[in-house]
Amino acid sequence: MTGILANLSGALASGRVEIVDLTHRLTPDFPVMVLPPEFGQCAPFRKTEVSAYDHRGPAWRWNEITMNEHTGTHFDAPSHWITGRDVPDGATDSIPVRNFVGPVVVIDFTAEAAADEDALLEVAHIQAWEERHGRVPADCWVFLRTDWSKRQGAAYLNLREDGAHSPGPSPDAIRFLVEKRDIRGFGTETVGTDAGQAGHLDPPYPAHATLHGAGRYGLQCMCDLDRLPATGAVLLAAPLKIENGSGSPLRVLALVEKEG
């Protein structure tokens, strides 16, 4: 084998390119989005044993699993949101597969999120990042690193009487990324691509409304974004090929070239 793929295979074998897993383990207690009670709810992950080398199946072990399309680390297709319902190839089974592999940049928003749990990424933050790292490339993923994935239990959803409190993008910031930088998608460590209080923004839930209306994608509930460089990583994020799926749990991986 020769050429680009041979070089990549060699780099992976030698450890010069590292594969970083950005995915949480699917367990029954992993938090899911909680909506007002008048709406349908996101089902958590459930697993039931079918057989385990016993009278139910002497030579095999397998489980029955159930979950919502948007449980755990998951992918949002355009058809997930009303703004994207008529987007061509907007479901998980029709998105061109080339869109599941591509470059990713990481905006470090940890200090802002630590200081204010409702912190909003603004255009000024993106422009400050660009002054250090260069222009956000077209057709890339943009990940918002907040270290929110290091939270456990109730602190992850951070629910109060007025809803969830967690960081996310402002309406202007997500419009800037989509309209001025032409990104492929936006990813977060929180339970959604929007801030916890995004229902009060204009438009409500601007990341969902803007991304999916423009045929772009979302990733959320990721972890270990602190292991990615600001630029240079390559993302592999392929949802299950669910018929007309609005999203899917998935294994999100990043290829990172190691220094030296």
Side-chain angles (χ1 to χ4, degrees):
M1 184 168 62
T2 61
I4 295 172
L5 293 181
N7 292 336
L8 175 59
S9 180
L12 289 167
S14 69
R16 288 184 290 118
V17 171
E18 179 184 11
I19 302 175
V20 179
D21 190 352
L22 307 177
T23 316
H24 282 284
R25 182 176 285 107
L26 270 174
T27 64
D29 58 352
F30 189 84
V32 296
M33 180 79 70
V34 177
L35 300 175
E38 63 267 26
F39 298 124
Q41 300 298 315
C42 182
F45 175 77
R46 293 287 182 262
K47 181 175 68 172
T48 304
E49 186 176 87
V50 177
S51 68
Y53 330 117
D54 52 23
H55 67 281
R56 298 168 299 173
W60 53 89
R61 173 179 174 270
W62 52 1
N63 299 296
E64 189 85 20
I65 61 173
T66 61
M67 72 199 86
N68 189 279
E69 291 176 322
H70 300 268
T71 296
T73 303
H74 64 276
F75 182 100
D76 283 353
S79 66
H80 173 47
W81 211 248
I82 189 170
T83 54
R85 62 183 175 180
D86 296 323
V87 168
D89 298 324
T92 54
D93 60 341
S94 58
I95 296 169
V97 293
R98 64 179 178 274
N99 292 346
F100 300 143
V101 181
V104 59
V105 304
V106 180
I107 297 176
D108 188 341
F109 201 58
T110 53
E112 293 83 357
D116 179 4
E117 60 192 11
D118 292 315
L120 293 179
L121 178 75
E122 300 288 356
V123 173
H125 295 119
I126 301 168
Q127 292 172 332
W129 183 93
E130 291 185 324
E131 289 178 2
R132 295 190 298 273
H133 304 290
R135 185 183 175 96
V136 173
D139 198 31
C140 77
W141 283 90
V142 173
F143 286 174
L144 185 65
R145 179 191 161 195
T146 58
D147 285 352
W148 207 259
S149 60
K150 300 181 187 301
R151 291 180 170 231
Q152 301 292 321
Y156 182 72
L157 291 181
N158 205 26
L159 288 171
R160 298 193 196 136
E161 290 184 2
D162 60 347
H165 290 263
S166 56
S170 73
D172 286 343
I174 201 68
R175 279 196 298 266
F176 178 84
L177 289 172
V178 170
E179 297 172 4
K180 303 299 184 183
R181 295 298 181 261
D182 195 25
I183 65 168
R184 181 182 302 183
F186 185 77
T188 65
E189 296 174 81
T190 53
V191 75
T193 50
D194 275 296
Q197 291 288 296
H200 302 294
L201 300 177
D202 185 17
Y205 306 105
H208 284 79
T210 302
L211 286 169
H212 303 321
R216 314 304 163 87
Y217 316 117
L219 286 170
Q220 47 267 298
C221 299
M222 290 187 293
C223 61
D224 290 332
L225 296 191
D226 54 336
R227 296 178 60 190
L228 300 188
T231 65
V234 174
L235 188 73
L236 298 89
L240 296 174
K241 198 173 182 178
I242 300 169
E243 182 181 13
N244 200 29
S246 72
S248 166
L250 76 172
R251 194 77 175 258
V252 183
L253 305 175
L255 303 182
V256 177
E257 187 174 356
K258 299 183 73 173
E259 295 182 2

